[in-house]
Amino acid sequence: MYLDQHSNKVVGLVPDLLEEHFRHQQVQIEFIVDNRRGAEHRLYSGDVDAMLLAPEWTAQPQQLIFSDMVLPHRDYLFSLRPFAKGSTIQNWLPEKTVCTRQYYIYQALEPFFKAHKTTRVDASSELAQMKMLQSGRCDYAYINEHVARWMQQHQLADIQLYQSPEPFGEVALRVAFHPKWQPYLAGFNQYLVQQRQQEKITQKLKFYIDKN
């Protein structure tokens, strides 16, 4: 999901899913643009009702309820140079600099930060990560595949980017709800099952990535 510059509305796969389902529940959805840490804090307190998250990323997952998977999330390294044929993760990261998102915890990268002289450089957004990669402030940008594909289509079409041959694990992206929404969870999960069976999630994702 992203903020459309023309309408100033939050649009994308997740807004479509939430709005379509909850419209039938007579629940009106309002999207709030917030930073990662602030949004999670407000979700715990109930100031916001839901957020796209994975349980692994949260500080206090026991305080939230999670939907079934919306879509898989895989992180990759992106570089301005091709990855050497036959190389592995162990070859890429030692003594290199990686542009990451501020406030995010990266379990797959932590061993390299701690023991392999890999340096983390935080950015405020995925686009900022890519801009820092362009300017030479880091050797790699660490970004999930869906956001990277969208940026390559819409914001970085003039740049040749290389994606690491291997992802860094897979996480199931879910909608995290404040517990007061427990009565709605089963219905939303059933809706997600139907959307997956009809391949509508895949179709919507492709539509928004390719959309001009």
Side-chain angles (χ1 to χ4, degrees):
M1 54 186 170
Y2 58 94
L3 188 66
D4 184 88
Q5 299 300 318
H6 301 293
S7 65
N8 207 36
K9 289 180 59 179
V10 176
V11 299
L13 165 66
V14 175
D16 280 1
L17 294 174
L18 289 171
E19 287 181 329
E20 182 178 344
H21 174 72
F22 283 101
R23 187 184 308 119
H24 296 295
Q25 310 301 313
Q26 297 184 325
V27 175
Q28 185 174 349
I29 302 291
E30 178 186 359
F31 295 97
I32 299 171
V33 178
D34 201 349
N35 65 65
R36 168 71 175 78
R37 178 176 289 180
E40 185 177 338
H41 177 76
R42 279 176 270 284
L43 183 59
Y44 294 133
S45 66
D47 291 336
V48 297
D49 300 297
M51 180 179 175
L52 186 66
L53 271 179
E56 298 93 319
W57 300 345
T58 58
Q60 302 175 63
Q62 71 281 0
Q63 292 192 24
L64 305 171
I65 56 174
F66 293 88
S67 74
D68 290 345
M69 182 180 73
V70 177
L71 75 164
H73 173 290
R74 292 178 294 186
D75 288 313
Y76 287 84
L77 290 174
F78 288 86
S79 172
L80 299 180
R81 300 179 183 82
F83 289 80
K85 189 174 182 180
S87 63
T88 65
I89 293 170
Q90 284 68 31
N91 305 124
W92 306 330
L93 286 168
E95 300 187 11
K96 299 294 185 181
T97 303
V98 184
C99 282
T100 51
R101 282 289 304 277
Q102 190 176 22
Y103 306 129
Y104 279 52
I105 297 171
Y106 297 102
Q107 295 177 345
L109 299 183
E110 283 301 320
F112 294 92
F113 296 147
K114 292 177 179 176
H116 296 275
K117 297 182 180 179
T118 304
T119 303
R120 172 177 181 162
V121 180
D122 279 349
S124 59
S125 67
E126 287 92 346
L127 182 58
Q129 286 176 259
M130 287 298 196
K131 294 294 185 182
M132 290 164 69
L133 176 66
Q134 277 185 272
S135 67
R137 291 190 60 189
C138 49
D139 298 297
Y140 305 110
Y142 189 74
I143 300 178
N144 89 68
E145 58 187 314
H146 308 303
V147 173
R149 283 172 57 201
W150 185 87
M151 287 196 296
Q152 284 180 287
Q153 283 281 98
H154 300 277
Q155 297 176 316
L156 303 166
D158 58 336
I159 300 170
Q160 177 66 59
L161 287 173
Y162 297 92
Q163 178 178 303
S164 59
E166 299 174 43
F168 286 72
E170 183 172 309
V171 171
L173 270 182
R174 306 170 188 270
V175 178
F177 292 94
H178 186 273
K180 64 186 178 185
W181 289 89
Q182 181 71 57
Y184 290 87
L185 188 62
F188 184 61
N189 284 339
Q190 186 178 18
Y191 167 76
L192 289 177
V193 169
Q194 294 169 347
Q195 294 294 298
R196 280 196 298 271
Q197 289 175 342
Q198 297 170 13
E199 298 189 353
K200 289 186 177 179
I201 289 179
T202 302
Q203 293 167 11
K204 286 178 184 288
L205 183 63
K206 185 177 188 303
F207 169 78
Y208 279 107
I209 288 175
D210 295 341
K211 183 181 178 182
N212 293 323

